[in-house]
Amino acid sequence: MSIDLSDIFAGLAAFERKVLDGAAQGLAGAAAGITLDMRHTTAHGDVTGATRANYTAYQVGRGRDGSAELQYAISAVEALNPGHTAIEPVQIDAEIGVILTSATDYQDKLETENAGQKAVLGPTLASSLDRLTRAAADGSNRALS
Amino acid sequence: MNYLTIQQAIHDRAASDAAGATLRGLLGGASSVFTKERLAYVAAATTLPWLVFSGGPVGGASGDMRDCQISWWAYAAPAAGATPLLNIVSALDALYGHANAYAITGGRMEVAFIGQVFRDDKLDLNGVEVRVVYHQRG
């Protein structure tokens, strides 16, 4: 006797898609909030306005590569502080994720100099982990309900 | 336990507890451990390497898992190379590492991040960050 399990596998695959797509939507929403938080940072000044304007957090995976958000950050730096744009490629070994970044060539110094006195990305990431986890879980729950 | 108490306990483990003696032996002296707020006032005569404590943010809403993060920033003279800093990183990892049984009551502590050695042009020193996280529910 043979049993056709194809419906079960198809159902599980659909379930997985819903969970991940929902989590991605939840993370995208949380990332937008984190972006706003970073753009209102008081950790440092901003003579040109480029630093605050370009801070960006964005969700990647499930069809989104964040290129639009990253291009926004690059354009902000080019417009407000020309010649100080710097980006590096990253590879995330995961289905979905969130990237917090800045496209300026001096962000490394802000993050590290004087024991991180003017750091934004590191502290924001540290304080956002629970928020992101909850957003992903809530997004999956909504997708399944 | 409130988070100021937790931060103090994390600080004291390296700065004054017996468990941190090995770590402190790698530093310039007893006055070489201080907080970020004192960084601007530290006399140039303070012996390197330094270990600078930076209290960090607390994430998560009440009732959820909450993370209390702090950073230790180690500094050494560029001429000394990376070795003194890497030795300090190893000592911090041993002091707070997940494999270590140490934990403040009601939570769990571990090293969350070890940075690369970098040049701090403002201080004219080499530095490295080690981030310690304490997880607690509520």
Side-chain angles (χ1 to χ4, degrees):
Chain A
M1 185 177 82
S2 65
I3 301 174
D4 183 3
L5 299 176
S6 58
D7 283 352
I8 293 175
F9 290 134
L12 288 172
F15 175 82
E16 184 185 28
R17 278 197 302 275
K18 275 190 176 181
V19 167
L20 291 173
D21 288 344
Q25 283 190 359
L27 288 175
I34 292 169
T35 295
L36 289 176
D37 290 349
M38 292 195 294
R39 290 180 185 172
H40 287 88
T41 184
T42 56
H44 55 67
D46 196 357
V47 174
T48 65
T51 316
R52 287 201 184 98
N54 99 98
Y55 282 128
T56 305
Y58 52 91
Q59 178 265 322
V60 293
R62 308 301 290 173
R64 296 184 57 160
D65 63 3
S67 55
E69 291 88 346
L70 185 57
Q71 186 55 53
Y72 175 91
I74 293 168
S75 298
V77 178
E78 286 177 346
L80 297 169
N81 197 4
H84 287 282
T85 305
I87 57 169
E88 292 179 18
V90 295
Q91 182 168 341
I92 299 177
D93 187 21
E95 190 81 32
I96 52 177
V98 168
I99 292 175
L100 280 65
T101 194
S102 164
T104 66
D105 63 0
Y106 47 81
Q107 190 65 38
D108 284 353
K109 290 183 180 294
L110 291 178
E111 294 295 315
T112 58
E113 282 184 344
N114 280 332
Q117 185 182 33
K118 297 179 178 179
V120 171
L121 296 176
T124 302
L125 176 63
S127 62
S128 300
L129 297 176
D130 301 290
R131 177 180 179 179
L132 290 167
T133 303
R134 194 166 59 250
D138 289 347
S140 293
N141 279 335
R142 278 195 300 273
L144 293 172
S145 62
Chain B
M1 189 181 296
N2 75 55
Y3 282 88
L4 287 177
T5 306
I6 292 167
Q7 290 203 2
Q8 185 70 50
I10 296 172
H11 169 273
D12 290 351
R13 180 154 174 86
S16 55
D17 289 357
T22 302
L23 169 67
R24 292 193 295 277
L26 299 170
L27 305 177
S31 62
S32 299
V33 186
F34 49 87
T35 62
K36 181 173 71 174
E37 289 70 25
R38 285 193 55 222
L39 190 55
Y41 308 105
V42 169
T46 303
T47 313
L48 290 162
W50 298 340
L51 193 58
V52 181
F53 179 86
S54 173
V58 177
S62 181
D64 290 345
M65 287 300 292
R66 308 190 80 183
D67 291 338
C68 173
Q69 299 214 16
I70 68 93
S71 287
W72 283 111
W73 297 80
Y75 290 100
T83 302
L85 293 177
L86 297 178
N87 288 339
I88 292 170
V89 167
S90 294
L92 284 168
D93 197 30
L95 198 57
Y96 297 107
H98 185 49
N100 191 301
Y102 174 68
I104 300 173
T105 304
R108 180 168 58 88
M109 185 178 309
E110 60 192 336
V111 172
F113 170 80
I114 297 173
Q116 293 181 314
V117 175
F118 63 91
R119 177 63 179 259
D120 188 322
D121 291 333
K122 291 272 174 60
L123 298 172
D124 198 22
L125 297 172
N126 282 349
V128 67
E129 179 188 11
V130 175
R131 205 174 294 159
V132 178
V133 61
Y134 171 80
H135 310 279
Q136 185 185 45
R137 181 169 293 282

